[in-house]
């Protein structure tokens, strides 16, 4: 029989009767197989056992995890001072006994910061869409907190090795504290981390033991208690609304099944754990800025996962992004090992390496790695409420999660404290090596020629700047690597401390480990799913569809460093024009212009064809025409104001005469009517698709959208709307959700002149029923070899399966979907003759995720205005299985079919994916605004 000895402080339980701290320690002795428990209390100071309380049998299920929730936090040898208020004292309930709402969490930290200003400082860094403040706190010794501005400034010096000598760096490394940043509950329904942040703050401030003093003597602890207050609030309010007389542990109960959309995402339903590449959300933007003021050496992103799963911490699963450096992986190993040591002490299960890879750079647990820090995700099994009955029957409590995260945080802080000089040294060395690699490798500069899409270039360079990358805009023409570039081109020299981030964000493809890919191919050959956790490509130039060159020499040209302004003021030439104004179509500035102009009630026309004006300038198809005759006397002022806000380049013209292409009175020039846009918004919509589809219209264009629940569609009068957007679905189909009456209503909406836009797999809805709205079909997987015969008898003719490969083929059902594609950047070709593609270049890039392949429309039915490139050119970035590449090639990406007086427009892949494939956004905007202009309702 083996005896496991667990020693832990449980002061909270002990101090309650007397209302003050007793220097006592409780020992739990587990006699494993017999489940016999011995409890003893020991006076810490004298070392004497005071009493042996209990010898009792207990069930296997009753272990430390079943400690009453009041017992959080629990940590050995802690000695809590009464001078620091507990959660219970401030919020009125013991920590772990209730899921705190964002306002309560904020209240607790504000009171700690107000009561102990010498040891904890609260710093606001952003505001959520719903107006909730985001903030972090920093906890440290009095000395460090008083020197905080200096410390942060010194970290910034260390982060910029080009400005200091090695000697200065050594000095800084000697004197600077280590730092850990613990970020919590980015997914708002992953509830325990936010609560653990209060446990940690309380413990660090209240514990008077030498061990905590030792940690804080050389380590600063940054805590971001709640990264997603809007999502968390959504979870908490709806969770408590479902609770009855007693909490249910049953996973079937309403308590454990959130209504749509769940609390994972923020207000615009973004998964912010994918947003660190493109910084689309205010929460992410604020965080990235704060991190670059602090440069924490260790960053923990604390999450929850499925309730049956235990606890996960580093090291991460394969594949690793090759831009992560060897000593970073070494540190991940140290941190994991020390977490494991503490988890062993407490008897907590954990696992490492099997899932949660470190390849995609847009996770919270990734981004700091490309700045030289160590970053990791921790994942606790989620009780998703107060109690959760696991598959093995054990009850997991909310407090269990709070306690385990807390222990992981303490272990992490201990590692950072123990390894402080090494971590500081590694950070400095990383940044220094990065500059060296950027000044000696094959890619020493990236150059964006910036010949079109000025708004896209402005936005991308601003985002790179927010990432801490220096981007310069050339003031004059120059040559590099044999190419000539005009003034206004953007240059990024790679000799920067962010070299690895630059390469990760700008290269077409970040290579995945060959052995890992070979393993995935083996799994597929064995009919097993792949282990790729997220998309395999995220190259920003590809996603923005902006050409970029790389050069093996640094570029030297007179230039101006760009700012982080994503929209620059536009301009009007010839403001007092006699006829009116033209705005060239083709970028988001023009799209913002038209959005604002229509909302101001201006009459705007748009040409379906390119034209050349008398002034000699060529304008692309889609260009806007605003005439004085059509509009009011204030037009010049309105143009000035709209150009400033939107960034559009407006040209005043004295005459309407064109020398090539249609005149403005042509039937090829359409009036853009201000559309009322509706969007389906509830089950079965994929919240991510619904959120980004709405976000792009509302926040990139500043144009309102009405969200409608699919259940309303059966009897709804849609005549008020001109455009209806149907997001991709995640669970269930629209056919089921809408039923025959809902689908009939949609058909009549289109026939009367509405524009129906489907995103991703919502296209399936158009193909169903007796009178489908789109004459395409979705394809099954291409079968190799002989198709299996459908036999109905229980005995069949004999067959010979010759090879293991044939055997695996045999197992695949005849009507199987193509294999799932984790996500690559696919090149697509644009039919530039069509009104739907106005202003769009001849080639665009789309993210391709999933397994949908649709047949092209015949010319009798409609047009395939964008189709995927031939197989040899299809792959623009990332990785795709060869069979899928062959099958996707030349298939439609965007289809349009006239139905009655209206238009049906299908995007077979999500054009708004994470709102970061900016090169696709103009097609989506064309579908809405130009689609509405090309429908023919009775007006
Ligand atoms: Zn999560």
């Amino acid at each position: 029989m083996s005896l496991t000895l667990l020693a832990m402080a449980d002061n909270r339980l002990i101090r309650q009767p007397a209302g003050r701290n007793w220097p006592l320690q409780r020992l739990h002795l587990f006699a494993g197989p017999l489940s016999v428990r011995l409890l003893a209390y020991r006076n810490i100071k004298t070392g004497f056992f005071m009493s042996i309380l209990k010898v009792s049998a207990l069930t296997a299920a009753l272990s430390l995890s079943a400690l009453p929730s009041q017992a959080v936090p629990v940590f050995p040898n802690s000695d809590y001072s009464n001078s620091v208020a507990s959660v219970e004292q401030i919020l009125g309930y013991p920590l772990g006994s209730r899921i705190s709402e964002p306002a309560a969490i904020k209240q607790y930290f504000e009171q700690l910061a107000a009561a102990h200003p010498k040891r904890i400082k609260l710093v606001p860094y952003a505001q959520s869409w719903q107006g909730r403040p985001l903030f972090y706190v920093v906890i440290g010794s009095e000395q460090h907190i008083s020197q905080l501005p200096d410390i942060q400034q010194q970290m910034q010096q260390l982060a910029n090795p080009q400005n200091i000598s090695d000697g200065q760096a050594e000095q800084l490394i000697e004197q600077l504290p280590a730092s850990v940043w613990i970020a919590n509950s980015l997914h708002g329904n992953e509830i325990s981390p936010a609560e653990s942040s209060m446990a940690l703050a309380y413990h660090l401030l209240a514990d008077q033991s030498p061990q905590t003093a030792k940690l804080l003597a050389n380590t600063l602890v940054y805590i971001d208690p709640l990264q997603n207050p809007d999502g968390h609030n959504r979870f908490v309010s709806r969770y408590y609304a479902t609770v009855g007389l007693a909490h249910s542990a049953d996973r079937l109960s309403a308590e454990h099944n959130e209504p749509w959309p769940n609390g994972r995402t923020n207000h615009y339903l973004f998964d912010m754990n994918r947003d660190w590449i493109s910084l689309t959300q205010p929460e992410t933007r604020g965080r990235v800025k704060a991190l670059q003021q602090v440069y924490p050496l260790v960053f923990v992103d604390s999450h929850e996962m499925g309730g049956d799963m235990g606890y996960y911490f580093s090291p991460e699963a394969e594949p690793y992004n090759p831009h992560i450096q060897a000593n970073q992986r070494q540190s991940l190993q140290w941190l994991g090992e020390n977490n494991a040591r503490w988890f062993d002490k407490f008897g907590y299960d954990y696992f490492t390496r099997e899932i949660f890879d470190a390849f995609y750079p847009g996770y919270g647990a990734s981004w700091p790695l490309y700045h030289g820090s160590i970053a990791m995700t921790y994942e606790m099994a989620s009780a998703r409420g107060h109690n959760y009955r696991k598959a093995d029957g054990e009850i997991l409590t909310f407090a269990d999660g709070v306690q385990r995260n807390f222990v992981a945080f303490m272990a992490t802080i201990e590692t950072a404290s123990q390894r402080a000089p090494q971590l500081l040294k590694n950070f400095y060395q990383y940044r220094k090596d990065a500059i060296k690699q950027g000044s000696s490798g094959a890619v020493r500069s990236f150059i964006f020629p910036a010949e079109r899409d000025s708004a896209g270039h402005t936005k991308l360079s601003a985002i790179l700047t927010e990432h801490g990358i220096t981007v310069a805009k050339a003031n004059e023409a120059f040559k590099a690597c044999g190419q000539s570039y005009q003034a206004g081109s953007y240059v990024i020299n790679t000799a920067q401390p962010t070299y690895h981030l630059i390469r990760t964000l700008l290269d077409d493809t970040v290579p995945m480990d060959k052995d890992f890919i070979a393993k995935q191919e083996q799994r597929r050959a064995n009919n097993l799913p792949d282990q790729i956790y997220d998309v395999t490509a995220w190259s920003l130039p590809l996603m923005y569809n902006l050409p970029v060159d790389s050069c093996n020499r640094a570029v030297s040209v007179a230039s101006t460093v760009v700012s982080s302004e994503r929209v620059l003021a536009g301009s009007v030439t010839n403001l007092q024009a006699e006829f009116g104004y033209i705005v060239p179509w083709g970028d988001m500035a023009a799209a913002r212009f038209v959005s604002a102009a229509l909302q101001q009630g201006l009459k705007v026309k748009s040409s379906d064809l390119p034209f050349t004006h008398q002034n000699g300038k060529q304008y692309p198809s889609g260009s806007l025409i605003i005439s004085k005759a059509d509009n009011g006397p204030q037009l010049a002022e309105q143009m000035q104001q709209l150009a400033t806000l939107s960034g559009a380049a407006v040209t005043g013209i004295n005459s309407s005469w064109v020398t090539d292409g249609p005149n403005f009175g042509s039937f090829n020039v359409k009036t853009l009517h201000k559309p009322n846009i509706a969007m389906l918004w509830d089950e079965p919509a994929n919240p991510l698709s619904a959120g980004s589809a709405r976000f792009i219209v509302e926040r990139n264009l500043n144009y309102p959208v009405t969200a409608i629940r699919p259940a309303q569609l059966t009897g709804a009068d849609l005549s008020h709307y001109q455009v209806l957007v149907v997001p991709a679905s995640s669970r269930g189909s629209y056919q089921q959700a809408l039923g025959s009456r809902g689908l009939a209503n949609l058909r009549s909406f289109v026939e009367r002149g509405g524009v129906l836009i489907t995103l991703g797999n919502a296209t399936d809805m158009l193909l169903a029923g007796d009178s489908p709205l789109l004459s395409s079909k979705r394809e099954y997987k291409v079968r190799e070899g002989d198709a299996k015969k459908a036999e109905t008898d229980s005995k069949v003719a004999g067959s010979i399966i010759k090879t293991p490969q044939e055997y695996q083929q045999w197992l695949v059902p005849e009507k199987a979907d193509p294999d799932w594609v984790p996500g690559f950047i696919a090149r697509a070709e644009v039919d530039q003759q069509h009104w739907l593609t106005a202003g769009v270049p001849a080639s665009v890039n789309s993210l391709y995720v999933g397994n949908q392949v649709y047949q092209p429309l015949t010319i009798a039915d409609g047009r395939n205005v964008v189709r995927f490139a031939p197989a040899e050119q299809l792959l623009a970035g990332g990785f795709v299985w060869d069979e899928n590449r062959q099958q996707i090639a030349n298939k439609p990406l965007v289809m349009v079919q006239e139905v009655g007086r209206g238009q049906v427009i299908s995007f077979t892949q999500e054009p708004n994916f994470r709102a970061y494939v900016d090169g696709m956004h103009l097609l989506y905007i064309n579908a809405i605004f130009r689609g509405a202009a090309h429908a023919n309702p009775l007006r």
Side-chain angles (χ1 to χ4, degrees), residues 527-538:
N527 285 316
L528 289 169
D530 70 71
Q531 297 168 312
I532 301 172
Y533 192 72
D534 205 88
V535 295
T536 65
W538 50 78

PDB file of all heavy atoms in Angstrom, residues 527-538:
ATOM      1  N   ASN A 527      -7.931   6.916 -42.585  1.00  0.00           N
ATOM      2  CA  ASN A 527      -9.275   7.459 -42.338  1.00  0.00           C
ATOM      3  C   ASN A 527      -9.437   8.053 -40.941  1.00  0.00           C
ATOM      4  O   ASN A 527     -10.477   7.908 -40.302  1.00  0.00           O
ATOM      5  CB  ASN A 527     -10.347   6.396 -42.592  1.00  0.00           C
ATOM      6  CG  ASN A 527     -10.560   6.175 -44.070  1.00  0.00           C
ATOM      7  OD1 ASN A 527     -10.640   7.121 -44.850  1.00  0.00           O
ATOM      8  ND2 ASN A 527     -10.617   4.910 -44.477  1.00  0.00           N
ATOM      9  N   LEU A 528      -8.384   8.725 -40.468  1.00  0.00           N
ATOM     10  CA  LEU A 528      -8.471   9.420 -39.184  1.00  0.00           C
ATOM     11  C   LEU A 528      -8.411  10.929 -39.430  1.00  0.00           C
ATOM     12  O   LEU A 528      -7.807  11.369 -40.410  1.00  0.00           O
ATOM     13  CB  LEU A 528      -7.288   9.020 -38.289  1.00  0.00           C
ATOM     14  CG  LEU A 528      -7.333   7.589 -37.758  1.00  0.00           C
ATOM     15  CD1 LEU A 528      -5.992   7.228 -37.119  1.00  0.00           C
ATOM     16  CD2 LEU A 528      -8.458   7.419 -36.748  1.00  0.00           C
ATOM     17  N   PRO A 529      -9.027  11.720 -38.560  1.00  0.00           N
ATOM     18  CA  PRO A 529      -8.975  13.178 -38.769  1.00  0.00           C
ATOM     19  C   PRO A 529      -7.564  13.720 -38.542  1.00  0.00           C
ATOM     20  O   PRO A 529      -6.776  13.121 -37.809  1.00  0.00           O
ATOM     21  CB  PRO A 529      -9.936  13.723 -37.698  1.00  0.00           C
ATOM     22  CG  PRO A 529     -10.037  12.652 -36.675  1.00  0.00           C
ATOM     23  CD  PRO A 529      -9.805  11.342 -37.378  1.00  0.00           C
ATOM     24  N   ASP A 530      -7.263  14.853 -39.165  1.00  0.00           N
ATOM     25  CA  ASP A 530      -5.939  15.442 -38.974  1.00  0.00           C
ATOM     26  C   ASP A 530      -5.857  16.118 -37.612  1.00  0.00           C
ATOM     27  O   ASP A 530      -6.856  16.261 -36.914  1.00  0.00           O
ATOM     28  CB  ASP A 530      -5.617  16.439 -40.090  1.00  0.00           C
ATOM     29  CG  ASP A 530      -6.462  17.701 -39.979  1.00  0.00           C
ATOM     30  OD1 ASP A 530      -6.224  18.488 -39.056  1.00  0.00           O
ATOM     31  OD2 ASP A 530      -7.372  17.889 -40.815  1.00  0.00           O
ATOM     32  N   GLN A 531      -4.650  16.518 -37.243  1.00  0.00           N
ATOM     33  CA  GLN A 531      -4.421  17.153 -35.925  1.00  0.00           C
ATOM     34  C   GLN A 531      -4.010  18.602 -36.063  1.00  0.00           C
ATOM     35  O   GLN A 531      -3.336  19.151 -35.196  1.00  0.00           O
ATOM     36  CB  GLN A 531      -3.326  16.369 -35.185  1.00  0.00           C
ATOM     37  CG  GLN A 531      -3.725  14.945 -34.889  1.00  0.00           C
ATOM     38  CD  GLN A 531      -2.547  14.108 -34.433  1.00  0.00           C
ATOM     39  OE1 GLN A 531      -1.489  14.147 -35.067  1.00  0.00           O
ATOM     40  NE2 GLN A 531      -2.703  13.368 -33.365  1.00  0.00           N
ATOM     41  N   ILE A 532      -4.410  19.224 -37.154  1.00  0.00           N
ATOM     42  CA  ILE A 532      -4.085  20.641 -37.356  1.00  0.00           C
ATOM     43  C   ILE A 532      -5.161  21.457 -36.657  1.00  0.00           C
ATOM     44  O   ILE A 532      -6.346  21.290 -36.928  1.00  0.00           O
ATOM     45  CB  ILE A 532      -3.992  20.970 -38.862  1.00  0.00           C
ATOM     46  CG1 ILE A 532      -2.922  20.091 -39.508  1.00  0.00           C
ATOM     47  CG2 ILE A 532      -3.690  22.460 -39.058  1.00  0.00           C
ATOM     48  CD1 ILE A 532      -2.851  20.180 -41.014  1.00  0.00           C
ATOM     49  N   TYR A 533      -4.738  22.327 -35.733  1.00  0.00           N
ATOM     50  CA  TYR A 533      -5.700  22.940 -34.815  1.00  0.00           C
ATOM     51  C   TYR A 533      -6.387  24.168 -35.408  1.00  0.00           C
ATOM     52  O   TYR A 533      -7.502  24.491 -35.048  1.00  0.00           O
ATOM     53  CB  TYR A 533      -4.964  23.330 -33.516  1.00  0.00           C
ATOM     54  CG  TYR A 533      -5.878  23.694 -32.385  1.00  0.00           C
ATOM     55  CD1 TYR A 533      -6.611  22.706 -31.732  1.00  0.00           C
ATOM     56  CD2 TYR A 533      -6.019  25.007 -31.980  1.00  0.00           C
ATOM     57  CE1 TYR A 533      -7.457  23.031 -30.690  1.00  0.00           C
ATOM     58  CE2 TYR A 533      -6.867  25.344 -30.937  1.00  0.00           C
ATOM     59  CZ  TYR A 533      -7.586  24.344 -30.290  1.00  0.00           C
ATOM     60  OH  TYR A 533      -8.420  24.676 -29.258  1.00  0.00           O
ATOM     61  N   ASP A 534      -5.698  24.871 -36.309  1.00  0.00           N
ATOM     62  CA  ASP A 534      -6.310  26.081 -36.866  1.00  0.00           C
ATOM     63  C   ASP A 534      -5.845  26.224 -38.312  1.00  0.00           C
ATOM     64  O   ASP A 534      -5.244  25.302 -38.870  1.00  0.00           O
ATOM     65  CB  ASP A 534      -5.940  27.308 -36.015  1.00  0.00           C
ATOM     66  CG  ASP A 534      -6.978  28.420 -36.143  1.00  0.00           C
ATOM     67  OD1 ASP A 534      -7.939  28.415 -35.372  1.00  0.00           O
ATOM     68  OD2 ASP A 534      -6.851  29.273 -37.034  1.00  0.00           O
ATOM     69  N   VAL A 535      -6.138  27.371 -38.920  1.00  0.00           N
ATOM     70  CA  VAL A 535      -5.751  27.584 -40.313  1.00  0.00           C
ATOM     71  C   VAL A 535      -4.231  27.491 -40.466  1.00  0.00           C
ATOM     72  O   VAL A 535      -3.484  27.739 -39.519  1.00  0.00           O
ATOM     73  CB  VAL A 535      -6.242  28.959 -40.826  1.00  0.00           C
ATOM     74  CG1 VAL A 535      -7.748  29.013 -40.846  1.00  0.00           C
ATOM     75  CG2 VAL A 535      -5.672  30.100 -39.977  1.00  0.00           C
ATOM     76  N   THR A 536      -3.785  27.161 -41.682  1.00  0.00           N
ATOM     77  CA  THR A 536      -2.347  27.001 -41.919  1.00  0.00           C
ATOM     78  C   THR A 536      -1.754  28.220 -42.618  1.00  0.00           C
ATOM     79  O   THR A 536      -0.582  28.205 -42.968  1.00  0.00           O
ATOM     80  CB  THR A 536      -2.076  25.762 -42.789  1.00  0.00           C
ATOM     81  OG1 THR A 536      -2.653  25.978 -44.091  1.00  0.00           O
ATOM     82  CG2 THR A 536      -2.680  24.510 -42.174  1.00  0.00           C
ATOM     83  N   ALA A 537      -2.561  29.254 -42.848  1.00  0.00           N
ATOM     84  CA  ALA A 537      -2.055  30.448 -43.543  1.00  0.00           C
ATOM     85  C   ALA A 537      -2.762  31.681 -43.023  1.00  0.00           C
ATOM     86  O   ALA A 537      -3.954  31.627 -42.705  1.00  0.00           O
ATOM     87  CB  ALA A 537      -2.266  30.322 -45.039  1.00  0.00           C
ATOM     88  N   TRP A 538      -2.015  32.791 -42.948  1.00  0.00           N
ATOM     89  CA  TRP A 538      -2.558  34.039 -42.419  1.00  0.00           C
ATOM     90  C   TRP A 538      -1.775  35.229 -42.962  1.00  0.00           C
ATOM     91  O   TRP A 538      -1.805  36.313 -42.372  1.00  0.00           O
ATOM     92  CB  TRP A 538      -2.478  34.013 -40.893  1.00  0.00           C
ATOM     93  CG  TRP A 538      -1.095  33.615 -40.447  1.00  0.00           C
ATOM     94  CD1 TRP A 538       0.018  34.417 -40.418  1.00  0.00           C
ATOM     95  CD2 TRP A 538      -0.650  32.309 -40.073  1.00  0.00           C
ATOM     96  NE1 TRP A 538       1.116  33.687 -40.034  1.00  0.00           N
ATOM     97  CE2 TRP A 538       0.738  32.383 -39.816  1.00  0.00           C
ATOM     98  CE3 TRP A 538      -1.284  31.066 -39.927  1.00  0.00           C
ATOM     99  CZ2 TRP A 538       1.495  31.272 -39.426  1.00  0.00           C
ATOM    100  CZ3 TRP A 538      -0.527  29.963 -39.543  1.00  0.00           C
ATOM    101  CH2 TRP A 538       0.846  30.072 -39.288  1.00  0.00           C
TER     102      TRP A 538
END
